[in-house]
Amino acid sequence: MNDKVQIVEVGPRDGLQNEAARVPVADKIAFVNRLAAAGHTRIEVTAFVSPRWVPQMADAAEVCAGIERRPGVRYSALVPNLTGLTRARDAAIDEIAVFPSASETFSQRNLNQSVDEAMAAAEEVCTESLSLGIPVRAYLSTSFGCPFEGDVSPARVIELTTKLLDFGAYEISISDTIGIAHPRQVTELLHELGARVPLENIALHFHDTRGTALVNVYAALEAGVATFDASAGGLGGCPYAPGATGNLATEDLVYMLDGLGVATGIRLDGIIEASRAIEPLVGHPLPSRMYRASA
Ligand code: MG
């Protein structure tokens, strides 16, 4: 097991994008600043997607303009195409993320593109972004199962991961979009994946829909992965994935890693403070167990 883990905070983007409530720009900015103050070094702040499809992210440029830029913190954003990339560059974002998926039906519903079309778009964005000097991360959605098709084959996940690395993405976040993964599946996939690509280029993105997110992290830690996505308070879900609840909560992850003696650089009380400020704005209690226990 690595003695140090990097957490990518996705609450301001993956979290708030998938909440029904609209959070005012000033509160989003304060949220990002609190997360950075808590010790996060990687924060996904927004998405440069069409405001017609994702009204929650219509304020992307304003959020980027308003946040404090702490030295040592990388502020990233989702980018689906070249239009989004131009907007992200104009907003002086440090890093972008593309987000194809591993299953055909989910790709159609989420992106209105086939997997091949989404991969072609990802390649185009990667090439252009790297020529601008902006590093690229890639999510691979529905890597552990699709809400419409069921099983997704590890061979497909490995094939697409390899391609995304070839496009120039430096890290692939293997995403359990619907929270269906279990530890045996994680161990098996990482065993196969680790034989093909360096695991330092792999991150994992779990949802806690079935209560398996933390035990999946544990399995991935044992397999040698050292980067995990999490969302303060467990904010989020996925509007295109019926029944998907929030992301793995940052508080729950940090609590477990602290106990294991795995360093994250993140202060648990700082995250709880950020969650406490955002909770009244999303209109429901935040699901993080650690957060609730701290109340
Ligand atoms: Mg998510």
Side-chain angles (χ1 to χ4, degrees):
M1 217 180 260
N2 289 285
D3 57 4
K4 228 164 100 183
V5 151
Q6 214 173 39
I7 298 178
V8 179
E9 172 62 54
V10 298
R13 201 285 304 170
D14 198 8
L16 295 183
Q17 174 177 333
N18 294 307
E19 293 287 343
R22 298 283 187 88
V23 175
V25 181
D27 297 296
K28 288 185 178 179
I29 291 168
F31 186 41
V32 171
N33 291 343
R34 284 191 182 98
L35 293 167
H40 273 300
T41 53
R42 297 181 65 181
I43 306 175
E44 193 173 77
V45 293
T46 189
F48 289 94
V49 291
S50 164
R52 252 186 313 137
W53 294 105
V54 190
Q56 291 91 335
M57 297 285 112
D59 55 8
E62 292 160 77
V63 172
C64 292
I67 54 174
E68 185 189 327
R69 305 289 179 117
R70 284 192 175 236
V73 181
R74 273 141 70 196
Y75 298 92
S76 67
L78 280 200
V79 162
N81 50 36
L82 294 180
T83 309
L85 179 61
T86 304
R87 292 173 62 205
R89 183 206 55 197
D90 292 347
I93 213 76
D94 298 319
E95 175 179 315
I96 62 145
V98 294
F99 48 103
S101 59
S103 81
E104 206 54 55
T105 314
F106 187 83
S107 186
Q108 291 289 353
R109 304 272 180 115
N110 189 33
L111 302 169
N112 205 20
Q113 288 175 322
S114 68
V115 171
D116 285 350
E117 287 166 343
M119 288 296 286
E123 182 174 19
E124 187 178 45
V125 170
C126 281
T127 304
E128 184 61 23
S129 191
L130 295 176
S131 81
L132 295 170
I134 304 171
V136 183
R137 164 180 231 235
Y139 290 94
L140 188 58
S141 301
T142 58
S143 287
F144 294 92
C146 168
F148 311 107
E149 296 175 20
D151 291 347
V152 171
S153 88
R156 184 68 165 150
V157 172
I158 292 164
E159 178 203 342
L160 295 170
T161 299
T162 308
K163 279 189 183 160
L164 289 164
L165 288 168
D166 287 344
F167 295 165
Y170 77 92
E171 181 176 275
I172 316 302
S173 181
I174 307 292
S175 303
D176 183 20
T177 312
I178 56 170
I180 201 168
H182 53 77
R184 192 181 71 192
Q185 197 183 7
V186 172
T187 302
E188 287 175 359
L189 177 63
L190 290 175
H191 181 74
E192 288 184 50
L193 200 54
R196 296 284 298 279
V197 303
L199 287 181
E200 56 259 37
N201 298 118
I202 299 299
L204 286 164
H205 181 109
F206 291 121
H207 282 225
D208 204 29
T209 316
R210 291 166 181 80
T212 52
L214 272 184
V215 75
N216 287 335
V217 168
Y218 195 87
L221 280 169
E222 286 195 319
V225 171
T227 306
F228 297 93
D229 299 351
S231 169
L235 281 169
C238 178
Y240 305 103
T245 57
N247 292 283
L248 166 61
T250 310
E251 292 94 325
D252 299 0
L253 177 58
V254 171
Y255 177 79
M256 182 181 82
L257 293 172
D258 281 353
L260 290 170
V262 175
T264 63
I266 294 166
R267 282 185 303 108
L268 192 47
D269 57 348
I271 301 298
I272 290 169
E273 217 175 280
S275 293
R276 192 158 289 139
I278 206 79
E279 186 176 43
L281 302 166
V282 298
H284 63 81
L286 295 179
S288 164
R289 304 293 182 83
M290 179 62 226
Y291 173 73
R292 308 222 61 74
S294 76

